[in-house]
């Protein structure tokens, strides 16, 4: 009997997101009848993985383990590229872009099953960046893009997807999830019920999809104001007319009311790093190349869920962070198309 039992102790959001698919395929290419997953007891990720193992065990007992072998990807060879784009008119200076590249690469290598490499690009136009991305080594299954602004990043993602390329997540995407989560916890702190919150966003062109993500997360309405020309009485009026105002300009306004304003720093790293490992792991684990509004909203809800009372966002060292984000995003990706929440806006 011992020849038909294997035990694994594997961690990381990439494995978590793809656990069921991996184990089902493992059942089909081996004579194993029982798979045991060992994780830290009592954690949400442990309970979720135990349920995955139970499902796979049932699958094996039903006789499906004798199915014809199927080819699968060796996760040990998978990697990610943290691509930083040099040049003026971007969100970062060259020196800060290099530092951010190294920080993000270290973060992903440490907290996912992917080995991340920092790769600088000097190409500035979206089409040129997308062309360079298509020429990256095949084992780099995903790209995390920093440097270009929101519109340029979206263009790179669109061009890459149209060419049948790999997954591209932008720093704007990761920032959007954290800002939406901070807005959700701010509404919660003010005891605003779900579907009743009125939000305003100043500098909305920095994160164009934030309004849609906020609506998906339960906001009743979102007023999006592009640019950073608001000042004085105009800012005050926005704050008074809305439950929470999100300031993406990075400016320190004397009109800011701490309990009613979510301020986003000019350097997005500490916001973007919160959801990135779990989000990237879940998307890679499901083999998708699209970063949807629903996936970003799921990641934002996960961040808000584990944020302690009195804080806007969870601590970056919270051990629940990556598995919780991966679990919420995976639920969205696993849902049938007609069962998914429709995006508004």
């Amino acid at each position: 009997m011992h020849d038909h039992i294997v035990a694994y102790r594997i961690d990381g959001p990439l494995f978590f997101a793809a656990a069921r698919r991996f184990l089902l395929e493992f059942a089909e290419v081996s004579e194993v009848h029982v798979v045991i997953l060992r994780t830290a007891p009592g954690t949400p990720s442990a309970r979720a993985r135990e349920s995955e193992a139970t499902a796979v065990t049932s699958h094996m007992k039903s006789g499906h383990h004798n199915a014809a072998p199927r080819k699968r990807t060796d996760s040990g060879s998978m990697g990610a590229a943290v691509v930083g784009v040099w040049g003026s008119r971007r969100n970062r200076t060259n020196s800060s872009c290099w530092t951010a590249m190294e920080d993000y690469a270290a973060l992903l290598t440490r907290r996912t099953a992917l080995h991340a490499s920092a790769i600088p690009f000097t190409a500035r136009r979206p089409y040129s960046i997308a062309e360079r991305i298509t020429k990256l080594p095949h084992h780099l299954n995903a790209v995390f893009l920093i440097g270009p602004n929101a519109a340029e990043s979206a263009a790179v993602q669109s061009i890459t997807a149209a060419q049948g390329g790999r997954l591209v997540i932008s720093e704007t995407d990761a920032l959007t999830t954290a800002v939406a989560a901070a807005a959700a916890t701010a509404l919660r702190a003010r005891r605003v019920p779900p579907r009743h919150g009125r939000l305003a966003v100043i500098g909305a062109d920095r994160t164009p999809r934030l309004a849609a993500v906020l609506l998906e997360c339960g906001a009743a309405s979102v007023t999006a104001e592009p640019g950073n020309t608001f000042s004085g009485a105009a800012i005050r009026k926005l704050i008074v007319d809305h439950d929470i105002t999100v300031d993406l300009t990075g400016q320190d306004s004397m009109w800011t009311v701490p309990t009613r304003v979510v301020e986003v720093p000019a350097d997005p790293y500490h916001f973007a790093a919160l959801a990135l490992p779990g989000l990237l792991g879940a998307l890679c684990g499901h083999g998708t190349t699209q970063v949807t509004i629903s996936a970003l909203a799921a990641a934002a809800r996960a961040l808000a869920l584990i944020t302690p009372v009195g804080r806007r966002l969870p601590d970056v060292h919270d051990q629940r962070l990556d598995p919780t984000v991966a679990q919420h995003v995976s639920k969205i990706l696993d849902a049938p198309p007609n069962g998914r929440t429709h995006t508004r806006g």
Side-chain angles (χ1 to χ4, degrees), residues 3 6 9 11 19 50 53 69 78 91 95 105 137 152 156 162 189 191 203 217 236 251 261 291 298 335:
D3 293 332
V6 294
R9 182 166 184 165
D11 253 332
E50 286 166 7
M78 296 174 68
N91 294 333
S95 59
E152 293 165 337
V156 171
R191 302 183 183 277
C217 287
R236 178 64 179 170
Q251 298 177 341
V261 176
V291 185

Side-chain angles (χ1 to χ4, degrees), residues 92 100 104 144-147 169-176 268-269 272:
R92 296 177 178 276
Y104 281 123
F144 182 61
L145 181 65
I146 66 175
I169 301 178
S170 70
E171 190 175 40
T172 301
D173 294 330
L175 175 63
T176 297
Y269 176 82

Side-chain angles (χ1 to χ4, degrees), residues 198-211:
R198 299 165 303 153
L199 292 97
V201 180
I202 305 174
D205 47 337
R206 185 178 177 189
T207 55
R209 297 206 286 178
L210 177 60

Side-chain angles (χ1 to χ4, degrees), residues 88-282:
S88 59
R89 296 191 308 105
R90 301 302 191 266
N91 294 333
R92 296 177 178 276
T93 64
N94 287 353
S95 59
S96 68
C97 190
W98 181 268
T99 300
M101 268 199 314
E102 292 184 327
D103 289 344
Y104 281 123
L107 174 76
L108 293 175
T109 298
R110 185 173 66 251
R111 286 170 44 184
T112 74
L114 299 168
H115 176 74
S117 304
I119 303 176
F121 280 5
T122 56
R124 297 181 181 180
R125 295 185 178 276
Y127 183 81
S128 300
I129 297 170
E131 284 290 300
R132 290 286 305 276
I133 288 174
T134 61
K135 296 177 182 178
L136 291 173
H138 292 296
H139 76 278
L140 298 177
N141 299 76
V143 169
F144 182 61
L145 181 65
I146 66 175
N149 62 32
E152 293 165 337
S153 296
V156 171
Q157 290 171 309
S158 178
I159 295 168
T160 303
Q163 294 175 343
R166 49 176 62 84
L167 170 69
V168 178
I169 301 178
S170 70
E171 190 175 40
T172 301
D173 294 330
L175 175 63
T176 297
T177 63
V179 175
T185 58
L187 287 171
R188 185 174 67 196
R190 300 197 68 227
R191 302 183 183 277
V192 178
R195 305 296 175 189
H196 286 75
R198 299 165 303 153
L199 292 97
V201 180
I202 305 174
D205 47 337
R206 185 178 177 189
T207 55
R209 297 206 286 178
L210 177 60
V213 172
L214 289 170
L215 291 170
E216 187 110 344
C217 287
S221 64
V222 180
T223 301
E225 300 289 353
N228 56 1
T229 58
F230 276 77
S231 61
I235 293 179
R236 178 64 179 170
K237 187 176 188 313
L238 277 177
I239 294 173
V240 170
D241 292 345
H242 297 83
D243 297 303
I244 295 295
T245 298
V246 177
D247 185 1
L248 293 165
T249 64
Q251 298 177 341
D252 185 13
S253 173
M254 69 181 210
W255 297 95
T256 295
V257 179
T259 59
R260 301 187 65 168
V261 176
V262 173
E263 293 185 284
V264 180
D267 183 350
Y269 176 82
H270 294 291
F271 270 46
L274 290 171
L276 178 59
L279 176 63
L280 180 65

Side-chain angles (χ1 to χ4, degrees), residues 14-83:
L14 175 65
F15 175 76
F16 173 76
R20 190 169 188 274
R21 185 179 66 184
F22 166 77
L23 291 175
L24 288 174
E25 293 181 355
F26 182 79
E28 294 175 351
V29 299
S30 72
E31 294 300 319
V32 171
H33 290 198
V34 177
V35 176
I36 302 171
L37 297 182
R38 300 182 60 193
T39 59
T43 62
S45 58
R47 291 193 293 272
R49 289 170 184 167
E50 286 166 7
S51 67
E52 296 280 11
T54 301
V56 172
T57 301
S58 300
H59 176 85
M60 293 178 179
K61 288 180 179 178
S62 66
H64 293 288
H65 62 277
N66 291 323
R70 286 161 50 188
K71 184 178 179 180
R72 65 180 176 87
T73 302
D74 180 5
S75 60
S77 66
M78 296 174 68
V82 179
V83 171

Side-chain angles (χ1 to χ4, degrees), residues 275-321:
L276 178 59
L279 176 63
L280 180 65
L283 294 173
C284 282
H286 285 77
T288 182
T289 58
Q290 301 289 328
V291 185
T292 64
I293 296 291
S294 295
L296 296 180
R301 288 192 295 269
L303 293 181
L305 179 66
I306 62 173
T307 300
V309 175
R311 291 180 60 103
R312 288 284 173 84
L313 289 168
D315 187 275
V316 69
H317 301 296
D318 192 325
Q319 294 184 353
R320 301 170 297 170
L321 197 57

